[in-house]
Amino acid sequence: MPAMEVMCWALRNGTSSTEIIACATREGLLNAPAQSVFRFAMPFAENGGEPRAFAAMILCGFALPAPQVEFTDPQTGKRYRVDFLWRTRNGRIVVVEFDGLVKYRDPQMMDGRTLGGVIDDERERSEGLKRAGVDVIVRIRMDDLHDLEGLKQRLAGTGAPLRRR
């Protein structure tokens, strides 16, 4: 999974996947796991945890979720972008949010708010997403990525679709 993080960072910073694959080939690093990283890397990841979460969901056998999907709360007009989204066969919307703890600790990320204010904002965001049509919000942290079986069970319990073989 760290390779996924590096690949996403390189793509986000303007390196083409062709350049990265050529370098990996020259260095003899183009094995099966590396090919998976190249196939699923995301240039739009907003932090280091998102590519790891994406890789974990792939390793668990889930269909590729749509990344960075935006919703508008019909009540407030606020826009919220979710990390990952699946639409199930029966029309339900399942969202996965990767929660890093830095937003609760780093004064720059807290933007002058208290811890309570940050938590209240997250609660309001979840309620806005529900009003916008999201059925299920699954919050995961880095610790969850170390227990793939547990993660798979949590996501399967929401109806998140598995990849077709």
Side-chain angles (χ1 to χ4, degrees), residues 10 42 45 55 59 74 85 87 112-113 118 145:
M42 315 174 342
L59 289 172
L85 173 144
R87 293 184 193 276
R113 297 171 295 170
V118 173
L145 306 182

Side-chain angles (χ1 to χ4, degrees), residues 65-80:
Q68 304 298 324
V69 177
E70 191 172 275
F71 288 88
T72 302
D73 180 345
Q75 181 176 312
T76 65
K78 287 185 180 178
R79 293 181 155 181
Y80 302 109

Side-chain angles (χ1 to χ4, degrees), residues 67-107:
Q68 304 298 324
V69 177
E70 191 172 275
F71 288 88
T72 302
D73 180 345
Q75 181 176 312
T76 65
K78 287 185 180 178
R79 293 181 155 181
Y80 302 109
R81 190 170 54 241
V82 299
D83 295 333
F84 305 101
L85 173 144
W86 286 290
R87 293 184 193 276
T88 66
R89 283 191 197 144
N90 63 2
R92 291 173 36 111
I93 296 175
V94 177
V95 162
V96 174
E97 292 281 72
F98 181 80
D99 284 337
L101 298 178
V102 69
K103 70 179 166 188
Y104 301 104
R105 296 182 181 153
D106 184 338

